[in-house]
Amino acid sequence: MTHHAHQHEHHAHRHDGGHTHRGEAGLADLLDLDAEVFAPHLDDLITWVDEHTTATPGTIADVGSGTGTGTLALARRFEAARIVAVDQSPAMLDRLRDAARARGLTDRVRTVEADLDDAWPPIGSVDLAWAAASLHHVEDPDRLLRDLHGALAPGGLLVVVEMDTLPRFLPHDIGFGRPGLEERYHEEVARDGWNAYPNWGSHLERAGFEVVQERDFAFEAHPAPPSANRYARDYLGRVRSALADRLGADDLAALDRLLRDEAPESVLNRAELTVRRARTAWAARRP
């Protein structure tokens, strides 16, 4: 489950080397749906980032950019900035470049293919670095934090964001005779140490940063946007595949019913769907 679930947002390292092209394309589609569903949540985060910038950033690095959710949001907020999107996956970067081109951002967005387990790439000085759901994937995050400290201009800001839980879609009574389906598959994922990360505050301080603020962000989309149904279907499909040998027969059958597109109880056909998520973010400055 670890590789299926905790790579939900970003793809900045070689832990996913075994993914097929088709699997990576499916993950990219899921990331783009995630960007649509949680756009207001991300805008709240970027607004918070803006509040902690002491000057308009000229260059921003998206550390583990995936398909560019953060890259594009940062480009919208900081209209004068140039964004450097760093990721290990050529397919993800291709998707990001297409999205930037469609939004007329080609002259402001640059992509760099790099494995962050090797070294921070030589992209020059940056004023703001954004690492969303990517730092905990790196084999030596303290080394990367030191590299980012060196890459930031004096007074520059690093923002680290982590996803606290899997996205939640289902009411407690869903289970078709056995309520609590979502809680059970969350517990199963937790046993694998899914998305495990430390409190990054002490790590940031050891790397030479001054932690400005740590903040929790909770988001609930109700009613959810139309894309949320497809997002729930694709996400639960990945959960179903990953936990096929871990969940009980009743829970697997319940997931199958939720994933059967033509069925009235399918998540694709639920008019009232709520999507919930929580994140923790750290803003840290290079003195």
Side-chain angles (χ1 to χ4, degrees), residues 116-160:
L116 297 181
D117 284 339
D118 293 338
W120 178 248
I123 64 173
S125 178
V126 300
D127 304 300
L128 171 63
W130 164 270
S134 56
L135 185 59
H136 71 269
H137 291 299
V138 180
E139 290 178 359
D140 188 354
D142 290 313
R143 189 271 306 160
L144 178 58
L145 287 174
R146 292 192 298 270
D147 288 351
L148 289 169
H149 184 275
L152 278 166
L157 191 72
L158 168 63
V159 176
V160 177

Side-chain angles (χ1 to χ4, degrees), residues 60-283:
I60 300 172
D62 186 353
V63 184
S65 61
T67 58
T69 300
T71 299
L72 300 175
L74 291 161
R76 288 194 302 270
R77 170 67 61 166
F78 301 103
E79 296 181 351
R82 295 183 178 274
I83 321 293
V84 183
V86 180
D87 201 277
Q88 182 263 342
S89 166
M92 297 287 178
L93 293 176
D94 283 344
R95 183 79 66 104
L96 192 159
R97 283 189 291 269
D98 289 343
R101 189 178 305 113
R103 292 162 177 78
L105 295 172
T106 303
D107 60 334
R108 293 179 51 212
V109 172
R110 175 165 67 98
T111 60
V112 173
E113 183 182 336
D115 189 329
L116 297 181
D117 284 339
D118 293 338
W120 178 248
I123 64 173
S125 178
V126 300
D127 304 300
L128 171 63
W130 164 270
S134 56
L135 185 59
H136 71 269
H137 291 299
V138 180
E139 290 178 359
D140 188 354
D142 290 313
R143 189 271 306 160
L144 178 58
L145 287 174
R146 292 192 298 270
D147 288 351
L148 289 169
H149 184 275
L152 278 166
L157 191 72
L158 168 63
V159 176
V160 177
V161 183
E162 294 287 6
M163 187 166 58
D164 291 347
T165 64
L166 285 167
R168 292 182 175 270
F169 309 100
L170 307 176
H172 177 74
D173 60 357
I174 287 291
F176 307 106
R178 191 176 177 222
L181 170 64
E182 191 163 65
E183 286 78 4
R184 286 191 294 278
Y185 77 68
H186 276 243
E187 289 170 2
E188 199 62 49
V189 168
R191 289 191 183 96
D192 282 343
W194 170 84
N195 205 49
Y197 58 86
N199 185 307
W200 290 116
S202 60
H203 294 258
L204 289 161
E205 289 172 349
R206 285 200 300 271
F209 289 96
E210 173 194 349
V211 178
V212 179
Q213 188 179 16
E214 175 184 339
R215 180 173 166 183
D216 295 329
F217 291 82
F219 178 76
E220 180 174 308
H222 182 76
S227 54
N229 295 81
R230 289 182 289 127
Y231 177 69
R233 180 194 61 186
D234 290 1
Y235 203 100
L236 291 176
R238 295 177 76 85
V239 168
R240 171 64 173 82
S241 296
L243 297 180
D245 59 348
R246 305 275 294 277
L247 290 175
D250 290 346
D251 285 343
L252 293 174
L255 282 170
D256 288 339
R257 290 179 67 175
L258 290 167
L259 292 168
R260 194 173 298 122
D261 290 353
E262 67 277 6
E265 63 267 29
S266 167
V267 290
L268 197 63
N269 300 321
R270 289 178 177 268
E272 290 297 321
L273 186 72
T274 299
V275 184
R276 300 176 299 279
R277 160 181 286 174
R279 286 170 169 170
T280 299
W282 294 260

